[in-house]
Amino acid sequence: MMRSDQFVKNIKAEIESLVSLYAQGSEGKTEIGTKLDSLNLSPELNAEVVSLIEQAIKESTYNLISGLEGSASLVGTQEIYKITDESGNELSGELDVIFYEQVME
């Protein structure tokens, strides 16, 4: 069974992987990277755009996790949801707090 801190570490690693691929432009083989290349931005501006994309991913992921944890609403609905693995083991333990500490700070 995966613990909450490992779950958040995996999400963090996935975000870092995506951002790395985006930063590679079309060589990263993502639609966003390809679109960034097509904009012909200066290296400095491209880095700034990638940084903004990274921040947007982090903020939206944090909002989603907070909504699932019940500490925030999702479009006006605030409930606590349970996340379970395929064996029925519940993943719990303040995912939003752990995510904020590991990723947002």
Side-chain angles (χ1 to χ4, degrees), residues 45-64:
L45 189 53
N46 191 68
E48 185 66 27
V49 170
V50 170
S51 178
L52 288 170
I53 292 169
E54 178 179 22
Q55 190 63 35
I57 293 170
K58 287 178 178 180
E59 289 178 7
S60 63
T61 302
Y62 177 71
N63 290 343
L64 178 59

Side-chain angles (χ1 to χ4, degrees), residues 71-84:
S71 61
S73 67
L74 293 173
V75 193
T77 302
Q78 189 164 355
E79 294 185 40
I80 297 173
Y81 297 90
K82 292 182 180 181
I83 303 171
T84 59

Side-chain angles (χ1 to χ4, degrees), residues 16-64:
E16 290 169 352
S17 175
L18 282 171
V19 171
S20 174
L21 290 173
Y22 299 156
Q24 293 175 38
S26 58
E27 289 182 25
K29 297 186 171 128
T30 65
E31 288 186 41
I32 290 174
T34 300
K35 181 66 175 176
L36 281 171
D37 271 359
S38 73
L39 297 174
N40 295 316
L41 303 172
S42 69
E44 296 81 16
L45 189 53
N46 191 68
E48 185 66 27
V49 170
V50 170
S51 178
L52 288 170
I53 292 169
E54 178 179 22
Q55 190 63 35
I57 293 170
K58 287 178 178 180
E59 289 178 7
S60 63
T61 302
Y62 177 71
N63 290 343
L64 178 59

